[in-house]
């Protein structure tokens, strides 16, 4: 399961470094916070890439828990699969409420 964390980190780093490189080459200054709704529109490309990298970085632990739930379900380990689903539900509720 280490590959989920390493892959998420690698993708996030590439996105953020690309955003930083474009900002340095073009001279565009960072505009500040980018909301999730404005992630794909309304901001410069460097801002979008950095924000997307941060989103991938934040979502990586959730992806790992989901992958573990799938593995535990395939292995018929119901206790861990159920506990993993509880963790996913708590994270989803936190994200939906805006405090996660």
């Amino acid at each position: 399961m280490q590959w989920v964390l390493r892959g998420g980190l690698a993708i996030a780093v590439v996105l953020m470094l690309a955003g930083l490189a474009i900002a340095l080459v073009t001279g565009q200054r960072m505009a500040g916070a980018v909301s999730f709704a404005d992630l794909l529109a309304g901001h410069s490309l460097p801002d979008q890439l950095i924000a997307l990298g941060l989103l991938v970085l934040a979502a990586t632990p959730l992806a790992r828990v989901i992958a573990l739930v799938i593995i535990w379900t395939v292995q018929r380990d119901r206790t861990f699969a159920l506990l993993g689903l509880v963790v996913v539900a708590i994270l989803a509720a936190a994200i939906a409420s805006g405090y996660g």
Side-chain angles (χ1 to χ4, degrees), residues 9-30:
L9 177 63
I11 292 168
V13 167
V14 167
L15 287 169
M16 289 187 281
L17 284 176
L20 179 62
I22 292 170
L24 291 174
V25 168
T26 62
Q28 294 177 345
R29 299 285 182 220
M30 300 301 161

Side-chain angles (χ1 to χ4, degrees), residues 43-97:
H43 289 277
S44 66
L45 180 60
D47 289 341
Q48 291 173 343
L49 288 174
I50 292 171
L52 187 59
L54 290 171
L55 180 64
V56 168
L57 188 63
T60 298
L62 177 61
R64 182 175 188 201
V65 173
I66 292 170
L68 284 171
V69 167
I70 293 169
I71 288 172
W72 289 328
T73 301
V74 169
Q75 294 177 347
R76 300 186 191 279
D77 192 344
R78 292 186 178 133
T79 302
F80 282 112
L82 182 61
L83 289 173
L85 285 174
V86 169
V87 171
V88 169
I90 291 170
L91 290 171
I95 291 168
S97 69

